[in-house]
Amino acid sequence: MSGGLLVAGTTSDAGKSVVTAGICRWLVRRGVKVAPFKAQNMSLNSFVTREGAEIGRAQAMQAQAARVEPTALMNPVLLKPGSDRSSQVVLMGRAVGEMSARGYHGGRQEQLLSTVVDCLEQLRSAYDAVICEGAGSPAEINLRRTDIVNMGIARAARFPVVVVGDIDRGGVFASFFGTTALLAAEDQELIAGYLVNKFRGDVSLLEPGLDMLLGLTGRPTYGVLPFAHGLGIDEEDGLRVSLRGTVRESVVAPPHGEDILRVAVCAVPLMSNFTDVDALAAEPGVVVRFVDRPEELSDADLVIVPGTRGTVKALAWLRERGLADALLRRAAEGRPVLGICGGYQILGEHIEDEVESRAGRVDALGLLPVRVRFDREKTLARPVGEALGAPVEGYEIHHGVADVRGGEPFLTDGRGQRLDGCRSGAVWGTHWHGSLESDAFRRCFLTEIARAAGRRFVPAPDTCFAALREEQLDLLGDLIEEHADTDALWRLIESGAPAGLPFVPPGAPGAPAVAVTPDPPTPPAPLDPPETPQPLETAATKEAL
């Protein structure tokens, strides 16, 4: 068996995904064969693995940080919200149905514990270390009985836990203490310490608080990570209501040509895979922002209608907001519009949906000669083709089946035969996510957009999105290596949580009283990580599906 660590958080969006990716990159640079793992993920941003399994995009990016191929083993349970009360359950990369939150936490989640433990054990048999990411907070006391992603998996695997707190939000000391104090004694035995994220200023001013936290809990802080602009990996938040006004952080560089290019993304409900626009934001001179008002489309050179887990709901929202009329006016004026996945379906003639919304036939915007029928079986694919004379690849995640009845081919097989999508005037549509990450295609597409918009914008000839992503992952690894106690982290990964960690009262509600150890435990002697770890002589990870 390999060693491991669980990265938990005081809250959602505390930085668990980023820290997990950073630890993976730090370890792989030290020669450690490492894999990421998240037992249960809730996200509308997902990815398709080589074997055709759907997993959270954050786990795919963490796998890239670890320089391994992502598999369904790394994220066995994915929940894709369809409303505030229900989600699609994706198990081992395949959608198995919709379930209410009450139904899921009322029993189904407990049944999945053996599945996620088995996946983790398979990874442990094939890797030197497994870095697990928790979800939300481990101190959600109303959900602890059915927990399979925080202390449930940590206790099953006997993994030590490091709790990450976002100090930029404030209240980080209370959050660290309260998170620990609300856990049962058996869970507290695994809480090894803390990691402060997004600190601004002089660390020496923070040290008295860290010393007091150690005195109160008997647990050290393993590092203080500084606030860094533009760092992170593909976002997970599937419940964000609106991203209006949010601007994607991009390369700080002037435009390559004379003009900038403005891209407006309609922040539709249940927006999924909005990471599609990250490759545009990485281009010098391209400004990407999310909008929810029709007047915000007026100065945009390109409007994108992104993917969504609620196509019919998003269509109704566009109409209610006046955005649908603004899109129709743009198309009539020959101004560029791009629809991706659910956005592509919205731009078509009509939608027949007895699966997602069960609304039956619904008239769409009629900007593309496409009719969509929702199939119960989800399409999951990693297609490769050509568009605008350049190679392009992407991934597909959709229930909608498109019947294209005209227009020009958009994505083809290289011989002019349509693979997906179509174009009509200045309106494009495709089911392929991630296509804009193909550098040559992205440059050709932006050149077309600039021409249609009358902008003297020229794409930079040397922007490589994959290289920029690698640089970002290296910077995350640098953050861990330079600002965390990596010797102490390695001891946790190899040997587990230190023995004798004190109990912090009151513990979980209803938990028996436990005597408090007055002094913090003596840490074990330093142990350097192996320079060239020997590979485990075990069978390769078996197929996930």
Side-chain angles (χ1 to χ4, degrees):
M1 286 295 186
S2 73
L5 178 73
L6 176 75
V7 179
T10 56
T11 61
S12 295
D13 203 30
K16 298 183 292 292
S17 297
V18 167
V19 169
T20 300
I23 292 175
C24 285
R25 179 50 60 100
W26 158 64
L27 286 173
V28 77
R29 292 196 306 206
R30 297 298 299 265
V32 178
K33 187 180 179 184
V34 60
F37 178 77
K38 185 163 185 172
Q40 172 196 293
N41 194 349
M42 176 173 280
S43 178
L44 288 171
N45 288 333
S46 58
F47 182 76
V48 179
T49 66
R50 293 290 179 192
E51 75 266 35
E54 184 180 7
I55 66 172
R57 277 196 67 92
Q59 279 60 68
M61 290 301 300
Q62 289 162 355
Q64 185 175 345
R67 296 176 180 153
V68 297
E69 189 68 31
T71 75
L73 290 172
M74 297 172 184
N75 180 208
V77 181
L78 173 63
L79 304 179
K80 304 190 73 174
S83 70
D84 290 341
R85 296 188 177 184
S86 68
S87 295
Q88 183 181 71
V89 180
V90 178
L91 178 62
M92 295 303 296
R94 293 283 185 266
V96 295
E98 297 281 334
M99 186 167 289
S100 68
R102 179 178 293 275
Y104 185 69
H105 291 285
R108 177 62 169 165
Q109 193 174 30
E110 289 178 286
Q111 298 169 14
L112 295 174
L113 180 59
S114 61
T115 298
V116 301
V117 169
D118 180 63
C119 290
L120 177 57
E121 294 308 302
Q122 289 184 58
L123 290 175
R124 295 181 72 183
S125 72
Y127 292 88
D128 301 322
V130 180
I131 307 302
C132 305
E133 180 188 344
S137 163
E140 305 291 355
I141 55 179
N142 56 316
L143 302 176
R144 175 60 186 93
R145 182 181 62 82
T146 58
D147 171 44
I148 65 172
V149 64
N150 290 304
M151 301 314 299
I153 196 70
R155 198 190 291 191
R158 300 308 299 172
F159 274 2
V161 179
V162 172
V163 182
V164 179
D166 180 356
I167 197 170
D168 199 47
R169 296 182 174 190
V172 73
F173 292 113
S175 297
F176 283 146
F177 182 87
T179 296
T180 308
L182 281 175
L183 297 176
E186 296 84 357
D187 288 340
Q188 288 195 26
E189 290 175 0
L190 298 174
I191 301 294
Y194 314 105
L195 191 66
V196 176
N197 190 31
K198 296 186 180 179
F199 179 72
R200 306 171 191 251
D202 186 346
V203 176
S204 66
L205 299 176
L206 191 66
E207 288 172 353
L210 301 179
D211 292 340
M212 285 187 276
L213 183 66
L214 174 62
L216 287 166
T217 68
R219 291 161 173 84
T221 297
Y222 288 99
V224 178
L225 306 183
F227 189 97
H229 287 282
L231 284 184
I233 61 176
D234 292 6
E235 297 178 65
E236 290 194 348
D237 191 352
L239 299 177
R240 192 184 299 252
V241 175
S242 174
L243 290 168
R244 191 185 75 78
T246 298
V247 178
R248 304 299 281 183
E249 293 195 62
S250 57
V251 176
V252 181
H256 188 69
E258 297 180 46
D259 282 348
I260 65 169
L261 209 61
R262 297 176 177 85
V263 178
V265 184
C266 297
V268 298
L270 299 174
M271 182 165 41
S272 61
N273 287 67
F274 52 83
T275 48
D276 282 332
V277 303
D278 285 349
L280 295 179
E283 284 283 352
V286 176
V287 178
V288 179
R289 61 196 304 263
F290 292 88
V291 303
D292 61 5
R293 297 174 182 168
E295 57 269 24
E296 293 174 306
L297 304 188
S298 60
D299 66 345
D301 302 305
L302 169 67
V303 173
I304 294 179
V305 186
T308 171
R309 248 281 282 158
T311 303
V312 171
K313 182 177 182 179
L315 175 59
W317 180 87
L318 289 168
R319 285 178 167 140
E320 291 166 3
R321 294 279 179 137
L323 287 159
D325 288 337
L327 289 170
L328 293 172
R329 287 194 298 271
R330 284 187 66 89
E333 295 166 359
R335 303 178 66 197
V337 177
L338 171 66
I340 302 175
C341 200
Y344 169 41
Q345 298 164 6
I346 285 169
L347 298 181
E349 295 176 355
H350 68 250
I351 299 165
E352 294 181 17
D353 181 11
E354 299 293 347
V355 176
E356 192 174 75
S357 68
R358 300 180 183 175
R361 176 167 168 154
V362 177
D363 288 336
L365 298 187
L367 297 179
L368 290 173
V370 178
R371 300 176 182 180
V372 176
R373 174 185 54 82
F374 273 57
D375 194 353
R376 294 194 179 278
E377 189 71 22
K378 184 185 289 189
T379 297
L380 298 171
R382 291 279 294 272
V384 176
E386 183 180 287
L388 302 178
V392 59
E393 57 184 280
Y395 56 100
E396 295 184 68
I397 308 171
H398 54 92
H399 285 280
V401 178
D403 176 13
V404 182
R405 302 196 166 201
E408 302 174 36
F410 185 16
L411 302 169
T412 71
D413 61 3
R415 298 187 300 272
Q417 297 300 309
R418 189 193 311 271
L419 290 177
D420 181 79
C422 71
R423 174 184 181 178
S424 178
V427 180
W428 290 263
T430 176
H431 273 130
W432 291 17
H433 294 290
S435 61
L436 293 168
E437 295 179 18
S438 300
D439 297 326
F441 164 67
R442 183 179 64 254
R443 286 192 279 270
C444 291
F445 182 70
L446 289 176
T447 299
E448 285 272 316
I449 297 302
R451 183 183 301 116
R455 294 283 185 187
R456 290 174 293 182
F457 169 86
V458 179
D462 55 353
T463 302
C464 176
F465 185 70
L468 290 172
R469 181 167 274 169
E470 273 295 303
E471 289 175 12
Q472 189 177 59
L473 293 173
D474 274 332
L475 288 173
L476 293 179
D478 293 343
L479 279 180
I480 298 298
E481 193 160 350
E482 295 170 11
H483 300 282
D485 186 346
T486 52
D487 287 342
L489 288 177
W490 178 254
R491 287 195 296 271
L492 291 178
I493 292 168
E494 188 176 56
S495 304
L501 290 169
F503 174 76
V504 180
V514 178
V516 180
T517 304
D519 298 315
T522 302
L527 176 63
D528 292 329
E531 292 297 326
T532 53
Q534 298 298 313
L536 299 175
E537 295 180 359
T538 55
T541 303
K542 66 184 183 181
E543 289 291 328
L545 301 177

